[in-house]
Amino acid sequence: MTTSVGAGSDNGAVLTRKDFEQRMERAGRAAADAGLAGLIVTPGPDLVWLTGYQPTAVTERLTALVVSADRRPRLVVPVLERADAQHAAGAGATELVGWRDGEDPYAVLAGLLEPERRYGISDSAWAMHLLGMQRTLPGSAYASLTEALPMLRAVKDAYEVERLAAAGAAADATYEEILGVPFAGRRESDVAADLARLLLEHGHSQVDFTVVGSGPNGADPHHEADDRVIEDGDMVVLDFGGLKDGYGSDTTRTVHVGEPSSEERKVHDIVREAQQAAFEAVRPGAACQDIDRVARKVIKAAGYGEYFIHRVGHGIGVTTHEPPYMVEGEHLPLVPGMCFSIEPGIYLPGRFGVRIEDIVTCTETGGRRLNNTAREMGIVG
């Protein structure tokens, strides 16, 4: 089965061959600007973004797109998968190069490359394929795409922003419904199953995660929902998302079973203030690290700095985690079209945790939230 990004989206828009052709042209120029001879893109999010193609099953057989600034893109595929590749929306903008079982696929790929040159290669490339290329072209060198071209997919066009907005709206609808299900007396895994079901009902094709951290489990930011029975008086962190029409959702809200204590309200209010301050700091030209610093300053001033134990955000697009990263030391400036999470948290070991997360896009005038449910503490039964 091939994957066409945007196919079946809720406003009827579908990416065309021309759209993918423009993406590949942009990638080739970016590679040249970075001093690379080109890019080698293996199955994964980069290949889907550039061509709309994802093999039915990723196996040991080599599939690789070669993109450079001065030649038409070439897609190397096993002959038995060629027909499938031809159905991808962007395949017509490439030259398909087949190889048969018994041939050396690395020799086929090497014939499309320049020896003694440096190429960017997908982070998801299998080690066996990279080693095969190094063996076949011993003078070649390679750099991961995240290292060499971290901004390749980071700046979204209007189509992509609206796909992310639609995914965010579906996650919001999921949160609104989860507020009405019983929490007390049920296992975390039961509520996680409800979240997964609702994401699918609201149009997601893939559920990537459903974090349900109740009571002390909420102090583990990536807690995997387990058999703990949620109790009256628990704070519960809900972090969930996946893919809708090829683009990601990721949102977090913290709810309480019954009335919270004054301390629980205080901690939640601090996190909400930090999240709002970070959102208000979003503007073109601001450094990514500035967004982290603003949220961290609020939490540190309130006396909880040591309990904010992760970066404040990450990029999102055809995957739920990708550049840019809102973290200390990241000096890249925000530009319109960047989409990322803002998700400060406070985690008190053995007691409870609080996190509030929205996906935000940078615009010419500031930030636009792609999640719009209430950020006040939700009360559940």
Side-chain angles (χ1 to χ4, degrees), residues 237-258:
V237 178
L238 304 172
D239 181 359
F240 51 94
L243 295 180
K244 180 180 185 295
D245 296 326
Y247 284 82
S249 68
D250 186 0
T251 188
T252 308
R253 293 293 185 263
T254 302
V255 302
H256 197 275
V257 185

Side-chain angles (χ1 to χ4, degrees), residues 254-266:
T254 302
V255 302
H256 197 275
V257 185
E259 286 302 313
S261 68
S262 59
E263 182 189 20
E264 289 169 330
R265 283 195 181 277
K266 173 187 173 183

Side-chain angles (χ1 to χ4, degrees), residues 5 13-24 50-51 88-91 93 159:
V5 177
V14 177
L15 291 179
T16 66
R17 166 181 166 168
K18 185 65 175 178
D19 294 318
F20 288 109
E21 186 175 16
Q22 290 173 345
R23 286 181 177 182
M24 286 184 271
L50 285 166
T51 68
Y159 171 90

Side-chain angles (χ1 to χ4, degrees), residues 249-321:
S249 68
D250 186 0
T251 188
T252 308
R253 293 293 185 263
T254 302
V255 302
H256 197 275
V257 185
E259 286 302 313
S261 68
S262 59
E263 182 189 20
E264 289 169 330
R265 283 195 181 277
K266 173 187 173 183
V267 171
H268 192 279
D269 286 346
I270 293 166
V271 173
R272 184 158 57 96
E273 180 185 350
Q275 210 262 358
Q276 178 65 25
F279 169 72
E280 292 174 359
V282 174
R283 65 184 185 281
C288 290
Q289 69 177 4
D290 293 343
I291 310 306
D292 183 277
R293 286 177 173 180
V294 167
R296 206 164 297 277
K297 181 179 179 181
V298 172
I299 292 174
K300 185 176 180 180
Y304 290 91
E306 66 180 295
Y307 302 110
F308 181 11
I309 57 177
H310 55 73
R311 66 193 175 203
V312 84
H314 57 82
I316 189 170
V318 292
T319 58
T320 49
H321 279 216

Side-chain angles (χ1 to χ4, degrees), residues 174-181 183 188 191-192 194-195 209-214 218 221 223 225 230 235-241 250-256 343 353-357 378 380:
T174 294
Y175 175 68
E176 295 287 0
E177 287 200 45
I178 207 69
L179 291 175
V181 309
F183 277 69
E188 291 175 343
V191 177
D194 287 338
L195 285 169
F209 51 91
T210 52
V211 172
V212 179
S214 64
H223 171 70
I230 301 170
M235 194 85 89
V236 186
V237 178
L238 304 172
D239 181 359
F240 51 94
D250 186 0
T251 188
T252 308
R253 293 293 185 263
T254 302
V255 302
H256 197 275
E343 49 180 307
V354 175
R355 182 164 66 257
I356 301 172
E357 174 186 15
V380 297

